[in-house]
Amino acid sequence: MTTTWIGRSRARAAAFALLVPCVACDATGPVACDLPLAGGNCLVFEDGGALGPHRAAIEAGAIDALERVVAAMPVTGVTVRARAEPAGAIPELGLGGFNPSASEVILSFDPASPILSASIASELGPTIAHELHHARRRQTIGYGGTLLAAMVSEGLADHFSMELFGIGPPIWSTALDAPTANALLGRAEGEGERSRYDHELASQLRTLTAD
């Protein structure tokens, strides 16, 4: 990835933002964007400077991801928050994502992770795409409140990111061996309408049910 490419991508994103004003908001009003992104979305750093060595790579990854996402699916008004938050990062990656609402995506990074740079290069884009799929779903029909709905929402988000970036299933969707996954899917068949369930376990089964 060259400096020239990053500069051109930033220029495209800035131009797009002028045409489609950033409408991302939180509970108190409009959010000041550190970096306007395609589709009227924005990136905000809430890291106290801890992600400084990785900031340029995070910005480039976010620009690329948003350009891919909005070309495939209309999503706007989302604030993507980048935080130095090891507790929210997947240990094997040094980063993680979370979508708490229709207008917000949280990206958590572990600045001390020895693989963070590599993960930003390979995993940040698909993670952003996955979480933005959730945001768009919340903006329309909703995420869903049952075990089955969660498995569908998570599976669709995984497959969206896989298709967009031409990659295989992410590590969280292949964490279970086949016998364990099949046993749990058998249990899930009779409990799909439950509104109280183990969300992390549902997430591990998601790609299997979205095929």
Side-chain angles (χ1 to χ4, degrees), residues 12 22 82 101:
R12 290 199 300 270
C22 182
S101 71

Side-chain angles (χ1 to χ4, degrees), residues 21-34 42 44 77-79 81 103:
C22 182
V23 295
C25 299
D26 61 16
T28 60
V31 173
C33 293
D34 289 322
C42 67
V44 177
V78 178
T79 300
R81 304 181 184 276
S103 62

Side-chain angles (χ1 to χ4, degrees), residues 34-35 43-48 51 55 58-59 80-82:
D34 289 322
L35 180 66
L43 176 65
V44 177
F45 282 88
E46 300 177 341
D47 61 320
L51 296 174
R55 180 161 178 154
I58 293 171
E59 289 181 346
V80 180
R81 304 181 184 276

Side-chain angles (χ1 to χ4, degrees), residues 73 75 99 102 132-144 149 152-154 156:
M73 175 186 70
V75 59
N99 169 236
L132 283 174
H133 189 278
H134 286 331
R136 180 57 179 163
R137 195 166 173 84
R138 292 183 194 276
Q139 291 173 356
T140 52
I141 65 172
Y143 180 86
V152 170
S153 290
E154 293 293 342
L156 290 173

Side-chain angles (χ1 to χ4, degrees), residues 130 133-134 143 149-162 173 202-203 205-211:
H130 177 106
H133 189 278
H134 286 331
Y143 180 86
M151 293 169 68
V152 170
S153 290
E154 293 293 342
L156 290 173
D158 270 352
H159 278 265
F160 178 67
S161 65
M162 290 161 60
S173 290
S203 297
L205 296 173
R206 56 195 172 191
T207 299
L208 297 173
T209 59
D211 285 335

